[in-house]
C-alpha cells in the first residue's frame, strides 16, 4: 500500500511516515514564521512601553500590540501544536496519518486565515487587540481570517482523532497510547472545545461587522470569547506538558513514575482546566459569586492539582532515570549532572521551573475571586502570561525544535554554541521581563497603555517612581528575550537552509514540507520504536527525594506569595 | 517511556510511589485551602463585590449622572470645566466612562459608604482607582453598583485600564477623599 | 517506582473502568466538551440573561 511509507531516523530510532512528516514540517515552519513576525512586534511594543525609549506613536503601538498578541498567542502556538499532534499520532504510533489531503486543506486554511488577519491588522483600522472586545469594531476580514484559521486547526484536530482510530484498528500499538500521545489528545480535546466556543461568538461578531446583525452584547461576548481566549492557552499547557514528558523520555529514557497518576492529571485538565476562562470575568458586572468562585477555581482547584502533579512527576521521572544511571549522591547530584549544555534538556527544564514558579503561582493568585480586584487589567496580567506562554510553552517548543531539526528535518544544527546558550538567554530575559511586569502591575500600572505619564491628558496622575523604573527594567529584559528569540529563529531557519545534510535526500525543499526522495522510505511497517528506556521498567526501585524537596520549596513560595497578596487586598478601601 | 505505550496491559492497578502519593495529598490540601479562602473572604473580608448590576442604556445612565451633577456640583476643575461633585454620604453616586474621560470628579468623605454606579457610554473601559489599586471592568449597556467606603484621605487618580482607542492613555478621572 | 513486583496479569483480566475511560478518546472528548459547556457557558449565560433592567 502506497500509504505505508516509513523511514526510520537513525539518530533517534523514531519512525516518520512520508505524508505525516511533510505535514509536520509545513506546520512547524509556518509556526516559526509567525513567531518571528509576532516577536518583532513584541519588541516594538516593549520599546514603546520603556519610558526612556517610547518608540512608536500611539496608533502604531496599539496596532503592534494587536499583531503581537494574535500572532504569538494564536498563530505561532497553534501551528506548532498541530505539528505536535501529527508527531504524537503518526510518528509515536507508527501509523499513516488519516486523510492527508484533508490535512493539507486544513493547513491551507490556517495559512490563509493567519495571513488575512495579520494583513488586516497592518491596514491599521483593526487595532482591537487580541481580545477584540465589542462594541469596538474591526474590519470583517479580521474575524474572517480568525474563523478560517480556526476551521483549519479544527480539521487538524479531527484528523488527529482519526489517526488514533486507524492506529487502533490496524493494531500499530498494544494496550494504551503513549503518555505523550495522551497529553496531545488532551490538547486536541481542549482545542476542539476552544474552537467551538470561538465559533459560537466569532461567527455572529463577523456577521455584525458586515452589518447583518444589529449588535453583539459586550458581556455575552466576553463570556463566550474567553471560552476561546483562555481555553486556547490551556491547549498550550497540555501540549507543553506532553513535550516535557517527551523530552524526559528522549534525553533520559525516563519512564513516567505512574501512568495512572499522570493520565488522571490530564483527565483533570480535560474536565476542569477550561472553567478558568472565568479568570477574566471576576470583576465584570452581573455574574454571581457562586459562578465566579466555582469556575475560577477550576472546580476546587482540581486542574491546579493536576499541574502540581505534572510538576512533580516530570522532574521526578528524570530523577529516577538519573539515579538508575548512578547519580545517587545527595539530593541533587542527578540534577547537577544533567546535560545542561544540551538545549533540548535545558530549554525543557527552564520551561518547567519558570512556568511553575512564575506562571503557575501568579495565575492562581490573580484568579482568586477577590484578589483579582488588585490585578485585573494591570500589567501583572501580561506578566503572568509571559511566564506561562512565552517561557512555559514557547521555550518547550524551542527545546523540542532542537531535537526535531536533526530528527525530522535531517539537518545538523548550525551555531551549536549559540544553541547551547539560547535557552538561558531567552529564559533569562523573559524572567526579567516577567518579574518587573508583575512588580509594576502590583503598583497599579495598566496593561495595553501607550503612555503612563499621561502626557497630553486633561487631568493628571503620577505613578510611583518605582513603577516607572520597573517598566524600564522590564524593557531591558524584553530586549534580552528578543535577542534570545532572534537566536532561535536564526538557528532554526539557518539549520534548515545551511545546516549540513544528515541524509542525502534531505534537500532544502524537503525542509519545508516536500517529501524526501522515494528511496528514503520503506514499505515495511516498523515493528517497534527504536528507542529503549533507561532500564527495564520496575527493575530497581528509586524514589525521587530531590524532586520532592524542590516541590516543597515550590509549595512554600506559593503559600507565602498568596498570603502577601491577600494582605495587600485587605488594605484596600472597603467594598461590598 | 512516555513516548511508548505503557509496558503493562493493565497499568491502573500499579501501586503509586509513596512520595508521589504524599505530594498529591499535600497539593490537594493546599488546593482546598485556596478554594475555601474565597467563601471565607466573602464572610469575613472587607473587599468583596456584591455583583449587583443592571442592564441600562447610555442615554438612561447619562441622565442619572447629569441629575447627580446638577444637584451636588461644588466647583469645576481643569481647562475642560469638569464638574466636581460632593454627594451626601450613603447616597447613590455615578461615574461614567467615555472616550476619553471618567466623568465627573467625585469628592467623598473618608469612612462613609457610597453606592457607586459605573457604566460606559461607548467602548469597554477599565475603572482603576490609583494608587489604591481597585480595578473593575466597565461595559456599555451594563450598570455596575459597588458600595464603596474610602479608608484614606487624599487625591486619587482614576485610570482607564481597558484599551479604548487611540486616546486611551489620556483617559483619567479623579476622586477626592476628605475627612 | 514501586518496591513490589508488578501484580501478575493475565490476558483475560478485566481492564478497570477508569483505564477503559482513559483509553477512549471519544468519551474523553465528550466529557471535555460537556463539562465546561454546562458549568462555564450555560450557567454563565444564564447569569447574564438574568441581569435585571436598571430601575
Amino acid at each position: 500500500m502506497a500509504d505505508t511509507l516509513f523511514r526510520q531516523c537513525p539518530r533517534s530510532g523514531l519512525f516518520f511516515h512520508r505524508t505525516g512528516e511533510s505535514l509536520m514540517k509545513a506546520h512547524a515552519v509556518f509556526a516559526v514564521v509567525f513567531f518571528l513576525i509576532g516577536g518583532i512586534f513584541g519588541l516594538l511594543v516593549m520599546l514603546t512601553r520603556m519610558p526612556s525609549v517610547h518608540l512608536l506613536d500611539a496608533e502604531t503601538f496599539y496596532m503592534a500590540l494587536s499583531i503581537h498578541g494574535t500572532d504569538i498567542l494564536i498563530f505561532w502556538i497553534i501551528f506548532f501544536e498541530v505539528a505536535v499532534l501529527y508527531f504524537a499520532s503518526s510518528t509515536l504510533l507508527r501509523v499513516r496519518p488519516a486523510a492527508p489531503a484533508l490535512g493539507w486543506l486544513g493547513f491551507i486554511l490556517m495559512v490563509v486565515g493567519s495571513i488575512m488577519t495579520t494583513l488586516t491588522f497592518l491596514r491599521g483600522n483593526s487595532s482591537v487587540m487580541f481580545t477584540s472586545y465589542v462594541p469596538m469594531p474591526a474590519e470583517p476580514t479580521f474575524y474572517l481570517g480568525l474563523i478560517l484559521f480556526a476551521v483549519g486547526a479544527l480539521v487538524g484536530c479531527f484528523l488527529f482523532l482519526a489517526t488514533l482510530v486507524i492506529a487502533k484498528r490496524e493494531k500499530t500499538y498494544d494496550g494504551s497510547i503513549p503518555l505523550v500521545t495522551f497529553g496531545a489528545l488532551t490538547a486536541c480535546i481542549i482545542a476542539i472545545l476552544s474552537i467551538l466556543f470561538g465559533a459560537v461568538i466569532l461567527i455572529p461578531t463577523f456577521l455584525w461587522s458586515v452589518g447583518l446583525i444589529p449588535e453583539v452584547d459586550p458581556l455575552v461576548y466576553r463570556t463566550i470569547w474567553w471560552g476561546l481566549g483562555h481555553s486556547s492557552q490551556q491547549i498550550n499547557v497540555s501540549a507543553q506538558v506532553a513535550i516535557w514528558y517527551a523530552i524526559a523520555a528522549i534525553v533520559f529514557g525516563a519512564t513516567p513514575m505512574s501512568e495512572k497518576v499522570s493520565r488522571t492529571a490530564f483527565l483533570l485538565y480535560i474536565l476542569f482546566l477550561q472553567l478558568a476562562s472565568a479568570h477574566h470575568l471576576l470583576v465584570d458586572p452581573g455574574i454571581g459569586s457562586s459562578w465566579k468562585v466555582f469556575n475560577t477555581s477550576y472546580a476546587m482547584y482540581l486542574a491546579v492539582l493536576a499541574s502540581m502533579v505534572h510538576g512533580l512527576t516530570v522532574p521526578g521521572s528524570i530523577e529516577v532515570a538519573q539515579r538508575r544511571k548512578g547519580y545517587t549522591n545527595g539530593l541533587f547530584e542527578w540534577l547537577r549532572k544533567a546535560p545542561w549544555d544540551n538545549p533540548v534538556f535545558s530549554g525543557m527544564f527552564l520551561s518547567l521551573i519558570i512556568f511553575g514558579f512564575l506562571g503557575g503561582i501568579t495565575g492562581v493568585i490573580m484568579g482568586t475571586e477577590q484578589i483579582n480586584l488588585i490585578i485585573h487589567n494591570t500589567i501583572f496580567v501580561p506578566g503572568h502570561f509571559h511566564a506561562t506562554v512565552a517561557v512555559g510553552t514557547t521555550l518547550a517548543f524551542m527545546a523540542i525544535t532542537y531535537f526535531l531539526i536533526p530528527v525530522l528535518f535531517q539537518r545538523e544544527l548550525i551555531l551549536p554554541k549559540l544553541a547551547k546558550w539560547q535557552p538561558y538567554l531567552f529564559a533569562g530575559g523573559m524572567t526579567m521581563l516577567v518579574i518587573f511586569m508583575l512588580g509594576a502591575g502590583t503598583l497599579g500600572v495598566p496593561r495595553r497603555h501607550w503612555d503612563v505619564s499621561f502626557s497630553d491628558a486633561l487631568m493628571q496622575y503620577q505613578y510611583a517612581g518605582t513603577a516607572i523604573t520597573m517598566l524600564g527594567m522590564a524593557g531591558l529584559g524584553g530586549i534580552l528575550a528578543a535577542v534570545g528569540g532572534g537566536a532561535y529563529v536564526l538557528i532554526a531557519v539557518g539549520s534548515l537552509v545551511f545546516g549540513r545534510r544528515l541524509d542525502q535526500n534531505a534537500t532544502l525543499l524537503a525542509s519545508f514540507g516536500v517529501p524526501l526522495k522515494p528511496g528514503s522510505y520503506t514499505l515495511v511497517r516498523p515493528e517497534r520504536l527504536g528507542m529503549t528506556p533507561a532500564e527495564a521498567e520496575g527493575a530497581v526501585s528509586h524514589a525521587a527525594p530531590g524532586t520532592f524537596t524542590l516541590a516543597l520549596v515550590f509549595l512554600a513560595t506559593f503559600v507565602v506569595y498568596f498570603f502577601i497578596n491577600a494582605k495587600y487586598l485587605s488594605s484596600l478601601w472597603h467594598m461590598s | 517511556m512516555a513516548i511508548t505505550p505503557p509496558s503493562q496491559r493493565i497499568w491502573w492497578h500499579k501501586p503509586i510511589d509513596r512520595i508521589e502519593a504524599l505530594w498529591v495529598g499535600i497539593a490537594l490540601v493546599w488546593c482546598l485551602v485556596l478554594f475555601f479562602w474565597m467563601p471565607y473572604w466573602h464572610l469575613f473580608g472587607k473587599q468583596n463585590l456584591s455583583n449587583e448590576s443592571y442592564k441600562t442604556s447610555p442615554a438612561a445612565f447619562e441622565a442619572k449622572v447629569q441629575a447627580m451633577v446638577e444637584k451636588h456640583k461644588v466647583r469645576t476643575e481643569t481647562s475642560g470645566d469638569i464638574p466636581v461633585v460632593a454627594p451626601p454620604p450613603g447616597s447613590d453616586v455615578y461615574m461614567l466612562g467615555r472616550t476619553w474621560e471618567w466623568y465627573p470628579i467625585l469628592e467623598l468623605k473618608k469612612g462613609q459608604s457610597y453606592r457607586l454606579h459605573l457604566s460606559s457610554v461607548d467602548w469597554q473601559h477599565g475603572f482603576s482607582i490609583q494608587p489604591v489599586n481597585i480595578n473593575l471592568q466597565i461595559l456599555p449597556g451594563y450598570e455596575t453598583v459597588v458600595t464603596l467606603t474610602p479608608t484614606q484621605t487624599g487625591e486619587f487618580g482614576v485610570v482607564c485600564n481597558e484599551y479604548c482607542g487611540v486616546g486611551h492613555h489620556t483617559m483619567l478621572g479623579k476622586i477626592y477623599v476628605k475627612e | 517506582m514501586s518496591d513490589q513486583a508488578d501484580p501478575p496479569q493475565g490476558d483475560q483480566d478485566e481492564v478497570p473502568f477508569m483505564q477503559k475511560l482513559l483509553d477512549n478518546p471519544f468519551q474523553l472528548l465528550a466529557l471535555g466538551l460537556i463539562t465546561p459547556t454546562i458549568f462555564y457557558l450555560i450557567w454563565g449565560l444564564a447569569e447574564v440573561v438574568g441581569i435585571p433592567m436598571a430601575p
Side-chain angles (χ1 to χ4, degrees):
Chain A
M1 198 157 95
D3 258 334
T4 42
L5 284 168
F6 290 92
R7 75 171 170 88
Q8 184 176 24
C9 162
R11 289 158 291 279
S12 64
L14 290 173
F15 288 93
F16 289 92
H17 182 273
R18 189 166 183 259
T19 331
E21 173 182 67
S22 299
L23 282 162
M24 262 178 252
K25 286 177 181 171
H27 284 88
V29 166
F30 262 81
V32 174
V33 168
F34 279 97
F35 176 76
L36 177 64
I37 299 172
I40 289 171
F41 282 101
L43 178 64
L44 295 176
V45 166
M46 203 57 244
L47 289 176
T48 308
R49 291 220 67 169
M50 278 178 95
S52 55
V53 184
H54 213 241
L55 183 68
L56 304 176
D57 62 82
E59 221 174 325
T60 320
F61 169 77
Y62 292 121
M63 184 190 82
L65 187 50
S66 302
I67 299 176
H68 172 59
T70 310
D71 282 19
I72 293 289
L73 285 172
I74 296 286
F75 302 149
W76 144 245
I77 299 277
I78 304 276
F79 267 119
F80 204 97
E81 274 155 1
V82 175
V84 170
L85 290 185
Y86 283 113
F87 178 82
S89 54
S90 172
T91 293
L92 292 187
L93 297 177
R94 300 168 293 125
V95 66
R96 65 190 164 89
L102 275 179
W104 287 112
L105 175 71
F107 171 71
I108 289 166
L109 283 173
M110 288 169 76
V111 171
V112 170
S114 52
I115 292 176
M116 185 185 288
T117 295
T118 306
L119 288 180
T120 309
F121 278 137
L122 284 168
R123 284 154 58 94
N125 300 321
S126 300
S127 302
V128 291
M129 307 286 136
F130 168 56
T131 46
S132 56
Y133 291 142
V134 300
M136 188 184 278
E139 291 182 81
T141 46
F142 163 80
Y143 307 105
L144 187 61
L146 284 183
I147 292 167
L148 292 179
F149 181 86
V151 172
L154 194 60
V155 170
C157 289
F158 282 124
L159 290 182
F160 171 80
L161 292 173
T163 307
L164 293 190
V165 172
I166 293 176
K168 192 168 183 77
R169 203 174 49 208
E170 297 185 356
K171 294 194 170 48
T172 68
Y173 66 95
D174 293 325
S176 308
I177 54 177
L179 182 59
V180 171
T181 310
F182 191 77
L185 170 64
T186 306
C188 167
I189 290 172
I190 299 175
I192 292 173
L193 177 85
S194 308
I195 293 168
L196 292 181
F197 276 19
V200 172
I201 196 62
L202 284 178
I203 292 172
T205 309
F206 168 67
L207 295 176
W208 164 74
S209 75
V210 294
L212 290 173
I213 286 181
E215 65 169 344
V216 177
D217 182 277
L219 188 51
V220 169
Y221 178 93
R222 286 173 63 81
T223 308
I224 306 176
W225 190 89
W226 278 114
L228 161 73
H230 200 87
S231 306
S232 63
Q233 305 313 305
Q234 316 292 22
I235 312 170
N236 306 344
V237 176
S238 312
Q240 106 204 9
V241 172
I243 288 175
W244 292 345
Y245 279 113
I247 290 179
I250 289 163
V251 177
F252 299 96
T255 304
M257 296 174 78
S258 159
E259 295 279 355
K260 174 175 163 176
V261 171
S262 294
R263 284 173 202 245
T264 307
F266 276 122
L267 175 64
L268 293 176
Y269 278 176
I270 293 173
L271 292 174
F272 301 122
L273 200 54
Q274 289 53 260
L275 304 183
S277 307
H279 284 184
H280 302 268
L281 306 174
L282 295 177
V283 296
D284 272 41
I287 306 176
S289 282
S290 309
W291 182 90
K292 286 179 177 173
V293 168
F294 179 81
N295 282 285
T296 198
S297 70
Y298 323 75
M300 299 175 108
Y301 290 105
L302 290 177
V304 173
L305 177 69
S307 288
M308 289 171 82
V309 165
H310 292 308
L312 179 91
T313 56
V314 174
S317 69
I318 294 177
E319 178 171 357
V320 170
Q322 286 281 78
R323 283 180 186 274
R324 274 188 190 148
K325 285 178 197 153
Y327 299 118
T328 51
N329 289 328
L331 279 177
F332 295 115
E333 192 195 18
W334 64 274
L335 190 56
R336 271 201 322 278
K337 302 231 166 119
W340 289 101
D341 50 5
N342 176 356
V344 181
F345 167 73
S346 64
M348 168 262 160
F349 208 80
L350 290 169
S351 154
L352 184 146
I353 294 289
I354 297 168
F355 176 84
F357 274 85
L358 287 177
I361 291 179
T362 56
V364 172
I365 285 171
M366 69 189 210
T368 308
E369 189 202 5
Q370 296 95 335
I371 292 179
N372 190 254
L373 280 165
I374 58 175
I375 287 167
H376 182 77
N377 275 355
T378 68
I379 203 170
F380 189 102
V381 178
H384 152 75
F385 69 69
H386 278 77
T388 54
V389 179
V391 186
T393 309
T394 298
L395 195 53
F397 289 0
M398 287 171 169
I400 198 82
T401 306
Y402 293 124
F403 169 73
L404 290 177
I405 286 173
V407 169
L408 171 62
F409 293 94
Q410 297 157 291
R411 295 281 176 153
E412 198 172 87
L413 275 189
I414 61 160
L415 306 172
K417 275 240 167 62
L418 183 63
K420 185 171 119 180
W421 287 105
Q422 190 276 335
Y424 298 97
L425 199 59
F426 186 73
M430 273 298 170
T431 302
M432 186 169 161
L433 172 87
V434 165
I435 286 176
F436 287 109
M437 275 171 125
L438 296 173
T442 307
L443 295 172
V445 173
R447 66 187 292 197
R448 297 177 167 176
H449 202 282
W450 178 64
D451 181 16
V452 289
S453 67
F454 310 102
S455 47
D456 40 357
L458 262 183
M459 283 180 262
Q460 283 300 314
Y461 174 72
Q462 181 107 44
Y463 275 102
T466 331
I468 306 301
T469 313
M470 286 201 191
L471 278 180
M473 299 296 285
L476 290 180
I479 293 169
L480 205 58
V483 173
Y488 165 73
V489 176
L490 179 70
I491 295 165
V493 178
S495 300
L496 301 199
V497 180
F498 304 112
R500 190 171 67 84
R501 286 190 209 178
L502 296 170
D503 178 323
Q504 282 299 314
N505 296 327
T507 56
L508 182 59
L509 278 179
S511 298
F512 298 98
V514 178
L516 303 179
K517 289 185 192 130
S520 309
Y521 303 93
T522 66
L523 283 164
V524 183
R525 184 190 296 286
E527 268 311 306
R528 62 154 60 86
L529 202 64
M531 293 175 105
T532 44
E535 210 168 302
E537 287 176 38
V540 192
S541 154
H542 281 290
T547 304
F548 187 64
T549 313
L550 286 178
L552 291 178
V553 172
F554 171 79
L555 182 68
T557 316
F558 200 161
V559 173
V560 168
Y561 195 54
F562 178 81
F563 284 108
I564 288 175
N565 278 279
K567 180 94 176 85
Y568 179 11
L569 175 73
S570 73
S571 73
L572 256 54
W573 295 0
H574 299 172
M575 277 169 279
S576 56
Chain B
M1 288 192 297
I3 54 173
T4 49
S7 54
Q8 291 166 293
R9 193 176 67 92
I10 297 174
W11 38 264
W12 185 261
H13 292 314
K14 191 175 168 185
I16 301 170
D17 172 61
R18 269 216 341 270
I19 279 186
E20 199 178 5
L22 182 61
W23 175 247
V24 173
I26 295 173
L28 182 61
V29 169
W30 174 237
C31 288
L32 292 176
V33 171
L34 285 171
F35 178 76
F36 285 107
W37 186 89
M38 289 189 280
Y40 162 82
W41 199 259
H42 271 286
L43 292 174
F44 300 105
K46 300 255 188 287
Q47 292 79 16
N48 287 292
L49 292 179
S50 65
N51 299 310
E52 180 183 349
S53 325
Y54 302 96
K55 289 198 168 80
T56 186
S57 68
F61 193 77
E62 263 175 331
K64 288 182 185 172
V65 178
Q66 221 38 53
M68 174 196 71
V69 170
E70 273 157 31
K71 215 163 157 192
H72 302 295
K73 182 165 101 175
V74 289
R75 60 178 185 280
T76 60
E77 275 190 11
T78 77
S79 55
D81 283 333
I82 304 164
V84 181
V85 179
S91 67
D92 288 281
V93 180
Y94 298 85
M95 192 180 263
L96 75 80
R98 62 185 168 207
T99 49
W100 288 288
E101 65 170 346
W102 288 107
Y103 176 89
I105 296 173
L106 298 176
E107 194 170 283
L108 309 177
K109 285 205 161 61
K110 182 184 162 187
Q112 300 291 336
S113 300
Y114 299 85
R115 276 170 55 79
L116 176 62
H117 298 241
L118 298 158
S119 188
S120 159
V121 298
D122 38 48
W123 313 134
Q124 303 196 14
H125 294 290
F127 175 83
S128 174
I129 309 178
Q130 295 297 335
V132 187
N133 206 9
I134 291 172
N135 304 283
L136 302 169
Q137 185 79 22
I138 305 304
L139 310 182
Y142 288 91
E143 185 174 332
T144 303
V145 187
V146 185
T147 304
L148 191 68
T149 314
T151 56
Q152 299 157 287
T153 57
E155 188 186 322
F156 299 91
V158 181
V159 173
C160 177
N161 65 9
E162 182 58 76
Y163 170 68
C164 57
V166 73
H168 169 48
H169 66 280
T170 64
M171 180 163 172
L172 283 170
K174 204 179 280 186
I175 296 178
Y176 292 102
V177 182
K178 306 219 154 155
E179 274 298 342
Chain C
M1 300 299 108
S2 90
D3 283 358
Q4 302 99 310
D6 298 324
Q9 301 181 349
D11 274 357
Q12 307 307 316
D13 286 1
E14 180 72 5
V15 175
F17 169 76
M18 279 305 289
Q19 182 173 332
K20 269 190 192 152
L21 173 71
L22 291 170
D23 280 346
N24 187 328
F26 296 96
Q27 278 178 12
L28 294 175
L29 174 66
L31 287 174
L33 296 183
I34 292 168
T35 320
T37 302
I38 292 175
F39 288 112
Y40 176 84
L41 194 66
I42 295 179
W43 184 7
L45 289 179
E47 298 263 323
V48 173
V49 169
I51 299 175
M53 286 300 294

